[in-house]
PDB file of all heavy atoms in Angstrom:
ATOM      1  N   LEU A   9    -141.286  40.858  27.749  1.00 97.00           N
ATOM      2  CA  LEU A   9    -140.916  39.791  28.567  1.00 97.00           C
ATOM      3  C   LEU A   9    -139.492  40.264  29.094  1.00 97.00           C
ATOM      4  O   LEU A   9    -139.174  40.073  30.372  1.00 97.00           O
ATOM      5  CB  LEU A   9    -140.758  38.462  27.952  1.00 97.00           C
ATOM      6  CG  LEU A   9    -140.269  37.242  28.918  1.00 97.00           C
ATOM      7  CD1 LEU A   9    -141.062  37.156  30.183  1.00 97.00           C
ATOM      8  CD2 LEU A   9    -140.098  35.931  27.999  1.00 97.00           C
ATOM      9  N   ASN A  10    -138.601  40.742  28.290  1.00 97.00           N
ATOM     10  CA  ASN A  10    -137.328  41.031  28.733  1.00 97.00           C
ATOM     11  C   ASN A  10    -137.424  42.225  29.690  1.00 97.00           C
ATOM     12  O   ASN A  10    -136.678  42.206  30.682  1.00 97.00           O
ATOM     13  CB  ASN A  10    -136.465  41.535  27.364  1.00 97.00           C
ATOM     14  CG  ASN A  10    -135.004  41.655  27.848  1.00 97.00           C
ATOM     15  OD1 ASN A  10    -134.381  40.984  28.560  1.00 97.00           O
ATOM     16  ND2 ASN A  10    -134.455  42.660  27.018  1.00 97.00           N
ATOM     17  N   PHE A  11    -138.155  43.224  29.384  1.00 97.00           N
ATOM     18  CA  PHE A  11    -138.258  44.450  30.156  1.00 97.00           C
ATOM     19  C   PHE A  11    -138.924  43.934  31.716  1.00 97.00           C
ATOM     20  O   PHE A  11    -138.479  44.361  32.718  1.00 97.00           O
ATOM     21  CB  PHE A  11    -139.230  45.505  29.707  1.00 97.00           C
ATOM     22  CG  PHE A  11    -138.578  46.470  28.893  1.00 97.00           C
ATOM     23  CD1 PHE A  11    -138.574  46.438  27.494  1.00 97.00           C
ATOM     24  CD2 PHE A  11    -137.803  47.565  29.463  1.00 97.00           C
ATOM     25  CE1 PHE A  11    -137.914  47.387  26.703  1.00 97.00           C
ATOM     26  CE2 PHE A  11    -137.061  48.417  28.640  1.00 97.00           C
ATOM     27  CZ  PHE A  11    -137.236  48.313  27.216  1.00 97.00           C
ATOM     28  N   SER A  12    -139.852  42.940  31.612  1.00 97.00           N
ATOM     29  CA  SER A  12    -140.453  42.495  32.848  1.00 97.00           C
ATOM     30  C   SER A  12    -139.451  41.762  33.714  1.00 97.00           C
ATOM     31  O   SER A  12    -139.320  41.908  34.842  1.00 97.00           O
ATOM     32  CB  SER A  12    -141.603  41.594  32.597  1.00 97.00           C
ATOM     33  OG  SER A  12    -142.671  42.334  31.957  1.00 97.00           O
ATOM     34  N   GLU A  13    -138.670  40.821  33.023  1.00 97.00           N
ATOM     35  CA  GLU A  13    -137.633  40.143  33.658  1.00 97.00           C
ATOM     36  C   GLU A  13    -136.477  41.006  34.266  1.00 97.00           C
ATOM     37  O   GLU A  13    -136.161  40.751  35.498  1.00 97.00           O
ATOM     38  CB  GLU A  13    -137.034  38.914  32.826  1.00 97.00           C
ATOM     39  CG  GLU A  13    -137.822  37.852  32.834  1.00 97.00           C
ATOM     40  CD  GLU A  13    -137.978  37.049  34.130  1.00 97.00           C
ATOM     41  OE1 GLU A  13    -137.005  36.611  34.713  1.00 97.00           O
ATOM     42  OE2 GLU A  13    -139.086  37.085  34.657  1.00 97.00           O
ATOM     43  N   ILE A  14    -136.083  41.980  33.546  1.00 98.00           N
ATOM     44  CA  ILE A  14    -135.093  42.769  34.061  1.00 98.00           C
ATOM     45  C   ILE A  14    -135.669  43.657  35.214  1.00 98.00           C
ATOM     46  O   ILE A  14    -134.903  43.633  36.320  1.00 98.00           O
ATOM     47  CB  ILE A  14    -134.653  43.813  32.995  1.00 98.00           C
ATOM     48  CG1 ILE A  14    -133.913  43.185  31.893  1.00 98.00           C
ATOM     49  CG2 ILE A  14    -133.757  44.915  33.666  1.00 98.00           C
ATOM     50  CD1 ILE A  14    -133.496  43.788  30.610  1.00 98.00           C
ATOM     51  N   ARG A  15    -136.826  44.054  35.321  1.00 98.00           N
ATOM     52  CA  ARG A  15    -137.329  44.968  36.396  1.00 98.00           C
ATOM     53  C   ARG A  15    -137.524  44.030  37.497  1.00 98.00           C
ATOM     54  O   ARG A  15    -137.335  44.357  38.715  1.00 98.00           O
ATOM     55  CB  ARG A  15    -138.594  45.582  35.980  1.00 98.00           C
ATOM     56  CG  ARG A  15    -139.188  46.532  37.099  1.00 98.00           C
ATOM     57  CD  ARG A  15    -138.281  47.535  37.628  1.00 98.00           C
ATOM     58  NE  ARG A  15    -137.677  48.381  36.643  1.00 98.00           N
ATOM     59  CZ  ARG A  15    -138.189  49.498  36.129  1.00 98.00           C
ATOM     60  NH1 ARG A  15    -139.428  49.941  36.600  1.00 98.00           N
ATOM     61  NH2 ARG A  15    -137.519  50.289  35.222  1.00 98.00           N
ATOM     62  N   ARG A  16    -138.034  42.747  37.395  1.00 98.00           N
ATOM     63  CA  ARG A  16    -138.363  41.809  38.362  1.00 98.00           C
ATOM     64  C   ARG A  16    -137.068  41.527  39.160  1.00 98.00           C
ATOM     65  O   ARG A  16    -137.044  41.731  40.439  1.00 98.00           O
ATOM     66  CB  ARG A  16    -138.944  40.562  37.822  1.00 98.00           C
ATOM     67  CG  ARG A  16    -139.272  39.486  39.020  1.00 98.00           C
ATOM     68  CD  ARG A  16    -139.727  38.203  38.404  1.00 98.00           C
ATOM     69  NE  ARG A  16    -138.681  37.477  37.582  1.00 98.00           N
ATOM     70  CZ  ARG A  16    -137.696  36.714  38.173  1.00 98.00           C
ATOM     71  NH1 ARG A  16    -137.646  36.485  39.493  1.00 98.00           N
ATOM     72  NH2 ARG A  16    -136.850  36.089  37.331  1.00 98.00           N
ATOM     73  N   ARG A  17    -135.902  41.355  38.422  1.00 98.00           N
ATOM     74  CA  ARG A  17    -134.605  41.097  38.991  1.00 98.00           C
ATOM     75  C   ARG A  17    -134.110  42.447  39.775  1.00 98.00           C
ATOM     76  O   ARG A  17    -133.611  42.368  40.819  1.00 98.00           O
ATOM     77  CB  ARG A  17    -133.710  40.519  38.042  1.00 98.00           C
ATOM     78  CG  ARG A  17    -134.006  39.136  37.575  1.00 98.00           C
ATOM     79  CD  ARG A  17    -133.319  38.739  36.273  1.00 98.00           C
ATOM     80  NE  ARG A  17    -133.831  37.703  35.595  1.00 98.00           N
ATOM     81  CZ  ARG A  17    -133.389  36.400  35.782  1.00 98.00           C
ATOM     82  NH1 ARG A  17    -132.329  36.188  36.351  1.00 98.00           N
ATOM     83  NH2 ARG A  17    -133.891  35.438  35.072  1.00 98.00           N
ATOM     84  N   SER A  18    -134.342  43.566  39.183  1.00 98.00           N
ATOM     85  CA  SER A  18    -133.907  44.779  39.800  1.00 98.00           C
ATOM     86  C   SER A  18    -134.608  45.042  41.161  1.00 98.00           C
ATOM     87  O   SER A  18    -134.024  45.383  42.165  1.00 98.00           O
ATOM     88  CB  SER A  18    -134.187  45.874  38.865  1.00 98.00           C
ATOM     89  OG  SER A  18    -133.329  45.976  37.740  1.00 98.00           O
ATOM     90  N   ILE A  19    -135.874  44.784  41.129  1.00 98.00           N
ATOM     91  CA  ILE A  19    -136.659  44.939  42.362  1.00 98.00           C
ATOM     92  C   ILE A  19    -136.163  43.983  43.423  1.00 98.00           C
ATOM     93  O   ILE A  19    -136.184  44.208  44.621  1.00 98.00           O
ATOM     94  CB  ILE A  19    -138.241  44.882  42.062  1.00 98.00           C
ATOM     95  CG1 ILE A  19    -138.578  46.164  41.249  1.00 98.00           C
ATOM     96  CG2 ILE A  19    -139.082  44.936  43.517  1.00 98.00           C
ATOM     97  CD1 ILE A  19    -140.031  46.108  40.718  1.00 98.00           C
ATOM     98  N   LYS A  20    -135.989  42.748  43.050  1.00 98.00           N
ATOM     99  CA  LYS A  20    -135.471  41.720  43.876  1.00 98.00           C
ATOM    100  C   LYS A  20    -134.181  42.105  44.534  1.00 98.00           C
ATOM    101  O   LYS A  20    -133.959  42.073  45.738  1.00 98.00           O
ATOM    102  CB  LYS A  20    -135.357  40.292  43.134  1.00 98.00           C
ATOM    103  CG  LYS A  20    -134.943  39.166  44.017  1.00 98.00           C
ATOM    104  CD  LYS A  20    -135.046  37.960  43.113  1.00 98.00           C
ATOM    105  CE  LYS A  20    -134.901  36.746  44.086  1.00 98.00           C
ATOM    106  NZ  LYS A  20    -134.875  35.546  43.340  1.00 98.00           N
ATOM    107  N   LEU A  21    -133.450  42.606  43.720  1.00 98.00           N
ATOM    108  CA  LEU A  21    -131.963  43.220  44.282  1.00 98.00           C
ATOM    109  C   LEU A  21    -132.250  44.354  45.212  1.00 98.00           C
ATOM    110  O   LEU A  21    -131.753  44.495  46.268  1.00 98.00           O
ATOM    111  CB  LEU A  21    -131.153  43.538  43.092  1.00 98.00           C
ATOM    112  CG  LEU A  21    -129.774  44.268  43.420  1.00 98.00           C
ATOM    113  CD1 LEU A  21    -128.881  43.294  44.225  1.00 98.00           C
ATOM    114  CD2 LEU A  21    -129.057  44.670  42.103  1.00 98.00           C
ATOM    115  N   TRP A  22    -133.104  45.314  44.715  1.00 98.00           N
ATOM    116  CA  TRP A  22    -133.309  46.578  45.389  1.00 98.00           C
ATOM    117  C   TRP A  22    -133.902  46.352  46.776  1.00 98.00           C
ATOM    118  O   TRP A  22    -133.526  46.884  47.727  1.00 98.00           O
ATOM    119  CB  TRP A  22    -134.049  47.565  44.705  1.00 98.00           C
ATOM    120  CG  TRP A  22    -133.543  48.006  43.345  1.00 98.00           C
ATOM    121  CD1 TRP A  22    -132.251  48.056  43.003  1.00 98.00           C
ATOM    122  CD2 TRP A  22    -134.308  48.611  42.257  1.00 98.00           C
ATOM    123  NE1 TRP A  22    -132.116  48.497  41.695  1.00 98.00           N
ATOM    124  CE2 TRP A  22    -133.359  48.921  41.291  1.00 98.00           C
ATOM    125  CE3 TRP A  22    -135.638  48.841  42.024  1.00 98.00           C
ATOM    126  CZ2 TRP A  22    -133.742  49.462  40.047  1.00 98.00           C
ATOM    127  CZ3 TRP A  22    -136.069  49.474  40.988  1.00 98.00           C
ATOM    128  CH2 TRP A  22    -135.119  49.610  39.874  1.00 98.00           C
ATOM    129  N   SER A  23    -134.882  45.323  46.737  1.00 98.00           N
ATOM    130  CA  SER A  23    -135.575  44.989  47.976  1.00 98.00           C
ATOM    131  C   SER A  23    -134.641  44.403  49.035  1.00 98.00           C
ATOM    132  O   SER A  23    -135.019  44.407  50.313  1.00 98.00           O
ATOM    133  CB  SER A  23    -136.673  44.019  47.749  1.00 98.00           C
ATOM    134  OG  SER A  23    -137.633  44.734  46.857  1.00 98.00           O
ATOM    135  N   GLY A  24    -133.578  43.807  48.633  1.00 96.00           N
ATOM    136  CA  GLY A  24    -132.756  43.239  49.669  1.00 96.00           C
ATOM    137  C   GLY A  24    -131.673  44.241  50.261  1.00 96.00           C
ATOM    138  O   GLY A  24    -130.777  43.752  51.037  1.00 96.00           O
ATOM    139  N   GLU A 133    -130.737  49.510  32.260  1.00 97.00           N
ATOM    140  CA  GLU A 133    -131.134  48.969  33.540  1.00 97.00           C
ATOM    141  C   GLU A 133    -130.251  47.911  33.934  1.00 97.00           C
ATOM    142  O   GLU A 133    -129.934  47.742  35.145  1.00 97.00           O
ATOM    143  CB  GLU A 133    -132.581  48.626  33.536  1.00 97.00           C
ATOM    144  CG  GLU A 133    -133.023  48.231  35.026  1.00 97.00           C
ATOM    145  CD  GLU A 133    -134.534  48.073  35.169  1.00 97.00           C
ATOM    146  OE1 GLU A 133    -135.355  48.762  34.402  1.00 97.00           O
ATOM    147  OE2 GLU A 133    -135.095  47.447  36.079  1.00 97.00           O
ATOM    148  N   SER A 134    -129.907  46.951  33.009  1.00 97.00           N
ATOM    149  CA  SER A 134    -129.153  45.818  33.358  1.00 97.00           C
ATOM    150  C   SER A 134    -127.772  46.250  33.767  1.00 97.00           C
ATOM    151  O   SER A 134    -127.236  45.556  34.656  1.00 97.00           O
ATOM    152  CB  SER A 134    -129.034  44.788  32.071  1.00 97.00           C
ATOM    153  OG  SER A 134    -130.242  44.379  31.721  1.00 97.00           O
ATOM    154  N   THR A 137    -127.903  47.322  37.234  1.00 97.00           N
ATOM    155  CA  THR A 137    -128.060  46.254  38.028  1.00 97.00           C
ATOM    156  C   THR A 137    -126.697  45.634  38.388  1.00 97.00           C
ATOM    157  O   THR A 137    -126.370  45.324  39.591  1.00 97.00           O
ATOM    158  CB  THR A 137    -128.940  45.029  37.669  1.00 97.00           C
ATOM    159  OG1 THR A 137    -130.270  45.809  37.334  1.00 97.00           O
ATOM    160  CG2 THR A 137    -129.246  43.934  38.445  1.00 97.00           C
ATOM    161  N   LEU A 141    -124.863  45.423  42.237  1.00 97.00           N
ATOM    162  CA  LEU A 141    -124.321  44.185  42.905  1.00 97.00           C
ATOM    163  C   LEU A 141    -122.866  44.471  43.299  1.00 97.00           C
ATOM    164  O   LEU A 141    -122.399  43.965  44.339  1.00 97.00           O
ATOM    165  CB  LEU A 141    -124.367  42.946  41.852  1.00 97.00           C
ATOM    166  CG  LEU A 141    -125.663  42.447  41.528  1.00 97.00           C
ATOM    167  CD1 LEU A 141    -125.645  41.602  40.290  1.00 97.00           C
ATOM    168  CD2 LEU A 141    -126.317  41.520  42.627  1.00 97.00           C
ATOM    169  N   PRO A 152    -128.841  39.666  47.039  1.00 94.00           N
ATOM    170  CA  PRO A 152    -129.996  38.758  46.707  1.00 94.00           C
ATOM    171  C   PRO A 152    -129.643  38.045  45.464  1.00 94.00           C
ATOM    172  O   PRO A 152    -128.963  38.373  44.581  1.00 94.00           O
ATOM    173  CB  PRO A 152    -131.029  39.804  46.451  1.00 94.00           C
ATOM    174  CG  PRO A 152    -130.752  41.061  47.200  1.00 94.00           C
ATOM    175  CD  PRO A 152    -129.125  40.959  47.200  1.00 94.00           C
ATOM    176  N   GLN A 153    -130.221  36.745  45.469  1.00 93.00           N
ATOM    177  CA  GLN A 153    -129.984  35.801  44.449  1.00 93.00           C
ATOM    178  C   GLN A 153    -130.904  36.285  43.184  1.00 93.00           C
ATOM    179  O   GLN A 153    -132.060  35.939  43.362  1.00 93.00           O
ATOM    180  CB  GLN A 153    -130.258  34.388  44.824  1.00 93.00           C
ATOM    181  CG  GLN A 153    -130.081  33.383  43.784  1.00 93.00           C
ATOM    182  CD  GLN A 153    -128.688  33.429  43.033  1.00 93.00           C
ATOM    183  OE1 GLN A 153    -128.708  33.999  41.915  1.00 93.00           O
ATOM    184  NE2 GLN A 153    -127.762  32.781  43.549  1.00 93.00           N
ATOM    185  N   ILE A 154    -130.392  36.925  42.213  1.00 94.00           N
ATOM    186  CA  ILE A 154    -131.332  37.390  41.057  1.00 94.00           C
ATOM    187  C   ILE A 154    -131.285  36.424  39.945  1.00 94.00           C
ATOM    188  O   ILE A 154    -132.040  36.647  39.000  1.00 94.00           O
ATOM    189  CB  ILE A 154    -130.949  38.822  40.769  1.00 94.00           C
ATOM    190  CG1 ILE A 154    -129.629  38.936  40.181  1.00 94.00           C
ATOM    191  CG2 ILE A 154    -131.069  39.725  41.729  1.00 94.00           C
ATOM    192  CD1 ILE A 154    -129.151  40.163  39.351  1.00 94.00           C
ATOM    193  N   TRP A 155    -130.448  35.478  39.978  1.00 91.00           N
ATOM    194  CA  TRP A 155    -130.237  34.500  38.781  1.00 91.00           C
ATOM    195  C   TRP A 155    -131.051  33.227  39.108  1.00 91.00           C
ATOM    196  O   TRP A 155    -130.501  32.228  39.334  1.00 91.00           O
ATOM    197  CB  TRP A 155    -128.786  34.242  38.733  1.00 91.00           C
ATOM    198  CG  TRP A 155    -127.886  35.351  38.549  1.00 91.00           C
ATOM    199  CD1 TRP A 155    -126.980  35.853  39.620  1.00 91.00           C
ATOM    200  CD2 TRP A 155    -127.901  36.259  37.530  1.00 91.00           C
ATOM    201  NE1 TRP A 155    -126.472  36.915  39.198  1.00 91.00           N
ATOM    202  CE2 TRP A 155    -126.929  37.396  37.913  1.00 91.00           C
ATOM    203  CE3 TRP A 155    -128.602  36.521  36.326  1.00 91.00           C
ATOM    204  CZ2 TRP A 155    -126.859  38.463  37.025  1.00 91.00           C
ATOM    205  CZ3 TRP A 155    -128.242  37.507  35.539  1.00 91.00           C
ATOM    206  CH2 TRP A 155    -127.423  38.472  35.934  1.00 91.00           C
ATOM    207  N   ASP A 156    -132.386  33.441  39.187  1.00 86.00           N
ATOM    208  CA  ASP A 156    -133.296  32.288  39.380  1.00 86.00           C
ATOM    209  C   ASP A 156    -133.635  31.637  38.057  1.00 86.00           C
ATOM    210  O   ASP A 156    -133.565  32.121  36.981  1.00 86.00           O
ATOM    211  CB  ASP A 156    -134.509  32.771  40.248  1.00 86.00           C
ATOM    212  CG  ASP A 156    -135.158  33.952  39.758  1.00 86.00           C
ATOM    213  OD1 ASP A 156    -134.897  34.424  38.589  1.00 86.00           O
ATOM    214  OD2 ASP A 156    -136.010  34.479  40.407  1.00 86.00           O
TER     215      ASP A 156
END
Side-chain angles (χ1 to χ4, degrees):
L9 176 61
N10 192 37
F11 273 105
S12 295
E13 275 299 297
I14 291 167
R15 182 56 53 85
R16 181 183 67 80
R17 292 165 193 258
S18 292
I19 291 172
K20 189 173 184 178
L21 174 61
W22 301 338
S23 296
E133 183 165 337
S134 298
T137 299
L141 287 166
Q153 180 51 261
I154 64 170
W155 307 110
D156 52 11

